[in-house]
Amino acid sequence: MILIVAEHAGGKLAKSTLEMVTAARDSGREGPVTLLVLGQGVAGVANEAAVVADQVLVGDLPALATYNAEVWAAATAQIAREGEATTVLIGGSRSGREYAPRVAVKLDAPYLEDAIRLSASGDALQAQRYTYLARVTETVEASGPVIVVTVKPGSFAAASAAAQPGEQYDVELELPTPRVEVTGRSVEKTSRVALTEADVIVTGGRGVGNPENFTTYVEGLADAIGAGVGATRAVVDAGWRPYAEQVGQTGKTVQPGAYIALGVSGAVQHLSGMGKSKNIIAINKDAEAPIFKVADYGIVGDVNVIVPALIEAARK
Ligand code: FAD
């Protein structure tokens, strides 16, 4: 089987999980696509998982209420071993990249990190990934009875419902007592949708002018239409916005239904993070800006003039 460890938050399956299902189906690896759902009170997540997977394995325990690398690694390795998984896919999130190498060690398996493409030939698995600050895309290959892979979020399309919902099975897990404990957690309060989950993203570039304009125009438009907020590296490097919002080769990869780029030139490193968006809408005062080469809709003009009118129209 191809084992995917489901990522979920707030009782909902994360988009990254649907992307991993596509990665699994496109990889050419044999076996049922199996989602492992770990957590406490995850029946709703398991039901969502069953819509896209061939089968769902559910570990619903108090000991799994909070993510812990030692516990997740032990549970994943146990299920991979018992199910004779040939491939284990783990999200390329901060936590996924923390426990995936532990899983590989436990299974004595090769580990491919941050895959943006997967393809199988025979019992070998090839993965593409960015390297050298994303200036180079390299292809790596591993073979063996089982291979552990992390998948870069935003690199694959989200899977849609399978022809038939997958069966769900409860699993019994032998979990270690973790040596590291989460003793506190403060969650940033925002009503805004996360960048990697958003179906519409408004991104601001240096052409927005300054941090205040970013708040007024980029966040203003995003809030008016219920979108996520992205930024170019130029804006992040200038300290206007946090790195978490950066889209591009050295930031997040996204493919929303609509990507609205305000004052973004469209440098190749930016395009590689958002070029697969279904609809790209660009506003830039330079008609020759490279972003217009990939845009489905473009407005040549000043963001300071056009965006306030868009916000007003959206609010109406
Ligand atoms: P600029 O290139 O300065 O473009 C500003 C645009 O705004 C221009 O097209 C201008 O015409 C327009 N403009 C100006 N004023 C207005 C106005 N009033 N109204 C409308 N339009 C206006 N970049 C990323 O974004 N993400 C990455 O992950 C990333 N990784 C990189 C990795 C490496 C190794 C390297 C070398 C570079 C990377 N970059 C990345 C940087 C990238 O090359 C560009 O420098 C950056 O994307 C440019 O950001 P920008 O479009 O905001 O700024």
Side-chain angles (χ1 to χ4, degrees), residues 62-145:
L64 296 168
T66 310
Y67 162 76
N68 180 286
E70 284 174 89
V71 175
W72 253 242
T76 306
Q78 181 196 322
I79 298 300
R81 222 179 271 118
E82 287 173 4
E84 296 181 0
T86 58
T87 319
V88 180
L89 299 186
I90 293 172
S93 57
R94 192 202 62 79
S95 51
R97 288 164 62 165
E98 181 186 32
Y99 76 87
R102 292 170 181 257
V103 176
V105 169
K106 284 177 187 293
L107 297 175
D108 191 20
Y111 171 47
L112 305 176
E113 191 177 80
D114 245 4
I116 57 167
R117 299 260 183 297
L118 287 175
S119 59
S121 59
D123 68 350
L125 181 64
Q126 289 191 334
Q128 279 184 15
R129 66 184 181 195
Y130 295 129
T131 186
Y132 292 111
L133 285 173
R135 273 177 257 206
V136 175
T137 304
E138 68 181 9
T139 304
V140 287
E141 184 176 291
S143 49

Side-chain angles (χ1 to χ4, degrees), residues 298-310:
I299 302 174
V300 179
D302 188 337
V303 288
N304 303 299
V305 176
I306 295 162
V307 179
L310 285 179

Side-chain angles (χ1 to χ4, degrees), residues 58-258:
V58 188
D60 196 333
L61 294 168
L64 296 168
T66 310
Y67 162 76
N68 180 286
E70 284 174 89
V71 175
W72 253 242
T76 306
Q78 181 196 322
I79 298 300
R81 222 179 271 118
E82 287 173 4
E84 296 181 0
T86 58
T87 319
V88 180
L89 299 186
I90 293 172
S93 57
R94 192 202 62 79
S95 51
R97 288 164 62 165
E98 181 186 32
Y99 76 87
R102 292 170 181 257
V103 176
V105 169
K106 284 177 187 293
L107 297 175
D108 191 20
Y111 171 47
L112 305 176
E113 191 177 80
D114 245 4
I116 57 167
R117 299 260 183 297
L118 287 175
S119 59
S121 59
D123 68 350
L125 181 64
Q126 289 191 334
Q128 279 184 15
R129 66 184 181 195
Y130 295 129
T131 186
Y132 292 111
L133 285 173
R135 273 177 257 206
V136 175
T137 304
E138 68 181 9
T139 304
V140 287
E141 184 176 291
S143 49
V146 54
I147 300 166
V148 178
V149 183
T150 54
V151 177
K152 187 171 169 64
S155 304
F156 293 85
S160 43
Q164 290 214 325
E167 289 288 326
Q168 295 185 37
Y169 305 93
D170 288 328
V171 290
E172 280 186 27
L173 296 167
E174 291 152 31
L175 301 175
T177 305
R179 289 166 292 183
V180 176
E181 217 185 314
V182 178
T183 56
R185 173 170 284 180
S186 76
V187 181
E188 194 193 337
K189 285 193 182 66
T190 173
S191 53
R192 199 171 289 141
V193 56
L195 195 54
T196 47
E197 297 290 314
D199 196 43
V200 181
I201 293 173
V202 182
T203 286
R206 193 151 40 190
V208 164
N210 55 52
E212 293 73 33
N213 284 358
F214 199 104
T215 303
T216 310
Y217 300 136
V218 183
E219 294 193 275
L221 181 58
D223 290 343
I225 60 176
V229 168
T232 64
R233 176 161 162 179
V235 158
V236 172
D237 284 353
W240 298 2
R241 303 301 298 180
Y243 171 69
E245 290 179 359
Q246 184 176 316
V247 174
Q249 275 190 9
T250 43
K252 296 208 163 73
T253 305
V254 295
Q255 42 179 308

